[in-house]
Amino acid sequence: GDSVTQMEGPVTLSEEAFLTINCTYTATGYPSLFWYVQYPGEGLQLLLKATKADDKGSNKGFEATYRKETTSFHLEKGSVQVSDSAVYFCALSRRSGGGADGLTFGKGTHLIIQP
Amino acid sequence: AAGVIQSPRHLIKEKRETATLKCYPIPRHDTVYWYQQGPGQDPQFLISFYEKMQSDKGSIPDRFSAQQFSDYHSELNMSSLELGDSALYFCASSLEVQGYEQYFGPGTRLTVT
């Protein structure tokens, strides 16, 4: 079945540091890939997405590129802020473009940014 | 902008009781999804509905059922509750013409005692 593997946390960085959170996936076909962020006590917010190979999703300084050859969708940000502290989930949807399919999530990475 | 509304936000039930969770999607969204998130866990997909028909099914227990109504709101019915059902239940909604991008509600925290 489909699965998503992301680096274990917590990940602790200093403000303005470079961030990478690794995400790899296993899926049949051509899934869509997503990064969601969850702040304490809140629901999940879509951070960025990519629906086909070599697409780059970007939002709020975060970027991720859909790499079919390495089945990866690593999240990066050049300079993190304290407000970026949250749990980040990598996810996939089986069908390209989504479809009404449920998402398969990774275990989540807790990011802590220290001033 | 209007978001997904879930009610109630918090619910406390005893073992073997039943619970009903409600989800009101973003206006004009035609698809709803239900997820269960245990403490410190990733969300697990339960079930989805498109235009009031079941679309995809995940790891939903037989004790749970769900439906989508003519106004597109959805209800998740949970019977014979067990301690292990204590979790955060999220509803998400999407629109086919927007590529089924899922928008999540704030969740309902269910505690079974």
Side-chain angles (χ1 to χ4, degrees), chain B residues 2-47:
Chain B
V4 176
I5 297 172
Q6 292 188 244
S7 68
R9 294 293 310 277
H10 301 273
L11 188 59
I12 299 175
K13 291 285 186 178
E14 295 186 353
K15 281 195 308 183
R16 293 180 288 277
E17 285 192 321
T18 61
T20 297
L21 310 184
K22 297 185 179 182
C23 169
Y24 298 87
I26 292 171
R28 295 186 302 280
H29 278 198
D30 50 21
T31 308
V32 293
Y33 313 75
W34 286 98
Y35 293 84
Q36 177 192 59
Q37 185 179 31
Q41 301 296 312
D42 56 299
Q44 294 292 315
F45 170 66
L46 295 178
I47 196 167

Side-chain angles (χ1 to χ4, degrees), chain A residues 34-109:
Chain A
F34 307 84
W35 277 100
Y36 280 84
V37 58
Q38 186 175 33
Y39 298 99
E42 297 186 11
L44 293 99
Q45 299 176 25
L46 178 63
L47 184 58
L48 52 84
K49 69 175 184 179
T51 58
K52 61 182 186 296
D54 300 324
D55 267 3
K56 176 186 282 188
S58 61
N59 185 28
K60 299 180 182 179
F62 291 90
E63 293 183 341
T65 301
Y66 188 147
R67 301 287 188 198
K68 193 172 188 297
E69 63 277 12
T70 56
T71 62
S72 65
F73 193 55
H74 305 321
L75 181 68
E76 297 181 336
K77 186 175 185 183
S79 176
V80 293
Q81 306 300 314
V82 171
S83 58
D84 293 327
S85 299
V87 179
Y88 292 79
F89 290 95
C90 185
L92 70 80
S93 177
R94 282 201 304 272
R95 280 182 278 180
S96 179
D101 293 339
L103 297 173
T104 298
F105 287 89
K107 294 298 183 185
T109 301

